[in-house]
Amino acid sequence: LVQSQYWDGNRLVYIDSIDDETFLSLKDELRKDSYVVKLEQAKRNTLQEIREIMVEYLPIIIPLFLIGFLGVVCISILNTLKHMRNFAIFFICGMRWKDSILICLSYIAYIISGVLILCIPGYVWLKDLLDTGGIMAANNYLFTLGALLAVMLLSLVTPFLLIRKEEPIKVLRKVG
């Protein structure tokens, strides 16, 4: 059974259960107009290309991720310090300190959703420019969502520590 399909200007030919002699004769015939490899070799070539791309882009991606993470943590700390007086008043009125973490989480979610909204036009523009050919699959989106959730949860650690160590009366006396 022979199947073929065109993808991005290339023709892919799939042949089920073929002996080596027939493959070599077809290979010689197809080699006149194209590049011929077996599926195993195509897979090895693809994995090698992925490795090369990762080696090229990871030194850029990791620092950008860390800078973004540090920015979200700093914004979270600044928001917590800015609203510490409000948290102290809420605590005196009966709210638990742990509930103030939910308020901090809403700040972080607001910031990240704003960044995502600002990134959508850039993604739409780059999607056509890069022509990923199906590389932007669902697992990539899930990984990105997981990374954003990890950033949100990890950026709550410092506000939680800031809020937990303070006493409401001392906070009100310091802030005024």
Side-chain angles (χ1 to χ4, degrees):
L1 179 65
V2 176
Q3 297 176 346
S4 69
Q5 78 183 63
Y6 286 93
W7 181 75
D8 198 27
N10 297 313
R11 183 176 182 185
L12 300 176
V13 178
Y14 303 97
I15 304 172
D16 288 340
S17 64
I18 188 172
D19 59 23
D20 287 338
E21 185 179 315
T22 309
F23 175 74
L24 290 174
S25 67
L26 285 173
K27 183 178 177 180
D28 291 336
E29 184 67 32
L30 289 172
R31 189 169 270 164
K32 295 176 187 173
D33 301 326
S34 61
Y35 176 68
V36 179
V37 293
K38 285 191 173 185
L39 190 57
E40 296 86 22
Q41 182 63 38
K43 183 178 178 181
R44 283 193 299 272
N45 292 348
T46 301
L47 292 175
Q48 180 63 31
E49 182 71 22
I50 289 171
R51 277 189 215 99
E52 290 172 6
I53 289 172
M54 293 301 280
V55 165
E56 183 179 343
Y57 288 110
L58 273 181
I60 298 169
I61 293 171
I62 291 173
L64 286 176
F65 178 79
L66 291 175
I67 289 169
F69 174 69
L70 184 64
V72 170
V73 168
C74 289
I75 289 172
S76 176
I77 290 170
L78 291 174
N79 262 333
T80 302
L81 292 174
K82 178 181 175 185
H83 296 288
M84 194 65 109
R85 180 178 185 274
N86 296 340
F87 294 150
I89 293 170
F90 294 156
F91 181 77
I92 290 171
C93 292
M95 186 174 89
R96 296 178 306 170
W97 276 124
K98 290 181 181 180
D99 292 338
S100 59
I101 292 299
L102 295 175
I103 296 172
C104 292
L105 179 64
S106 68
Y107 291 144
I108 295 168
Y110 180 72
I111 291 166
I112 289 179
S113 63
V115 169
L116 288 175
I117 289 171
L118 291 174
C119 288
I120 289 173
Y123 170 74
V124 170
W125 178 70
L126 283 176
K127 183 180 73 168
D128 293 333
L129 182 70
L130 296 177
D131 189 25
T132 60
I135 292 174
M136 298 303 287
N139 57 354
N140 294 337
Y141 293 121
L142 290 175
F143 177 78
T144 303
L145 182 63
L148 287 174
L149 288 174
V151 165
M152 287 177 67
L153 293 176
L154 288 174
S155 63
L156 283 177
V157 171
T158 48
F160 181 74
L161 294 175
L162 283 172
I163 291 171
R164 197 177 101 196
K165 74 174 190 167
E166 295 291 334
E167 294 178 20
I169 300 299
K170 289 181 181 178
V171 170
L172 290 175
R173 285 186 183 148
K174 273 197 277 187
V175 178

